[in-house]
Amino acid sequence: MKLIKANDYNDLSRKAANILSAQVILKPRSVLGLATGSSPIGVYKQLIEWYQKNDIDFSEVTTVNLDEYVGLAPENPQSYRYFMNHHFFNHINIDKTKTHVPNGIADDLEKECEAYNHLLDEVDGIDMQLLGIGLNGHIGFNEPDGEFEKLTHVVNLNASTIEANKRFFEKIEDVPKSAISMGIKSIMQAKHIVLIVSGQEKYDILKQSLFGPVTPHVPGSILQLHSHLTVIYSCGREL
Ligand code: GLP
């Protein structure tokens, strides 16, 4: 595992964007695993800037996102599809048909999970997975549990996750209670994982994830077992 301490959010974003852009430059047909939340917004902003300067070309890139809320349509500003279009895809030369986010309004959610697993098989592996971590250690929407969920699944969100994510909604009742999330196995199969963690409040869970016991009660702890993990963090203190 490679630990990189960033000075602040801006520095963290630029460092992560540098790694992602190197990936795309070295392999224009890269499959990128992408994340939502506050953490990656700065990375996407930086990548857009470099795209505008003609430094990166996304025309051959494929993306797969980690998760989506159940019940939110792509046009809903709180959906993760909307987030990705708004913060990233609308501003770069990516072929939108090569960008994938689980469909949270599928009639049959189990079938949608199967289809997403099939897609992950078809793209033949994620080259680089950008990842954030939740305050309770969740990655994607893999919540603390008695066992690791391997593949894409429907998950009931924990009260603490609903609480943490209510800031994006008008009121807490509007936060969906469930989501579709890529599973731990699919995340772990990415060739390179770039974990970005910002904020003092994430320090303890990051430390626990990276140096505590590997347990499904702290989903991020599984990352210790990945052979190519880069952690870029700005949590006010050295790990
Ligand atoms: C959300 C997302 C995760 C994200 C995490 C942290 O619930 N499903 O993929 O990593 O929470 O979000 P943030 O970066 O806003 O702290």
Side-chain angles (χ1 to χ4, degrees):
M1 145 187 0
K2 175 109 192 139
L3 292 176
I4 301 172
K5 183 173 173 289
N7 300 325
D8 51 30
Y9 180 74
N10 195 28
D11 186 35
L12 172 147
S13 302
R14 286 173 62 86
K15 284 181 159 65
N18 262 302
I19 296 173
L20 264 99
S21 75
Q23 170 69 41
V24 173
I25 291 166
L26 290 168
K27 184 178 175 188
R29 285 180 171 233
S30 285
V31 178
L32 303 179
L34 297 180
T36 50
S38 319
S39 308
I41 292 178
V43 180
Y44 298 144
K45 202 165 158 256
Q46 183 61 75
L47 288 172
I48 293 166
E49 248 180 77
W50 286 334
Y51 161 71
Q52 286 166 345
K53 288 184 181 156
N54 272 330
D55 286 341
I56 323 173
D57 173 12
F58 291 95
S59 60
E60 292 184 273
V61 167
T62 296
T63 67
V64 284
N65 259 74
L66 285 165
D67 44 19
E68 178 60 284
Y69 286 116
V70 166
L72 299 194
E75 313 75 49
N76 186 316
Q78 264 75 38
S79 75
Y80 284 167
R81 162 52 80 179
Y82 186 97
F83 175 104
M84 290 309 301
N85 288 345
H86 178 73
H87 287 289
F88 196 30
F89 300 148
N90 286 350
H91 312 282
I92 55 172
N93 67 335
I94 198 159
D95 173 354
K96 281 255 183 80
T97 64
K98 289 193 201 150
T99 68
H100 307 279
V101 180
N103 176 10
I105 53 163
D107 288 336
D108 186 332
L109 293 172
E110 290 308 321
K111 272 213 181 111
E112 174 60 19
C113 292
E114 269 172 45
Y116 211 68
N117 288 329
H118 188 67
L119 167 81
L120 293 171
D121 287 342
E122 262 188 357
V123 298
D124 203 22
I126 297 168
D127 291 297
M128 181 169 284
Q129 175 68 56
L130 181 64
L131 207 58
I133 192 164
L135 277 174
N136 64 3
H138 71 227
I139 49 176
F141 266 135
N142 290 275
E143 294 279 37
D145 200 357
E147 57 186 59
F148 291 111
E149 283 274 0
K150 282 194 244 161
L151 298 174
T152 310
H153 57 289
V154 177
V155 58
N156 292 323
L157 301 179
N158 282 9
S160 63
T161 299
I162 293 174
E163 177 66 31
N165 287 2
K166 74 171 185 207
R167 65 189 195 277
F168 297 110
F169 294 80
E170 230 168 76
K171 45 188 191 319
I172 193 161
E173 296 77 43
D174 295 343
V175 187
K177 308 285 177 292
S178 55
I180 297 178
S181 179
M182 206 190 271
I184 293 289
K185 183 175 170 197
S186 311
I187 295 173
M188 288 295 282
Q189 278 177 338
K191 294 182 189 102
H192 184 179
I193 297 180
V194 179
L195 174 66
I196 50 173
V197 188
S198 158
Q200 294 180 9
E201 68 286 0
K202 296 261 179 87
Y203 181 86
D204 288 339
I205 194 64
L206 178 60
K207 199 164 180 191
Q208 219 180 317
S209 299
L210 299 181
F211 306 114
V214 176
T215 161
H217 295 291
V218 182
S221 65
I222 193 82
L223 298 173
Q224 293 178 39
L225 305 181
H226 198 277
S227 57
H228 196 178
L229 170 68
T230 303
V231 184
I232 309 173
Y233 70 100
S234 156
C235 303
R237 272 184 292 166
E238 188 120 5
L239 276 169

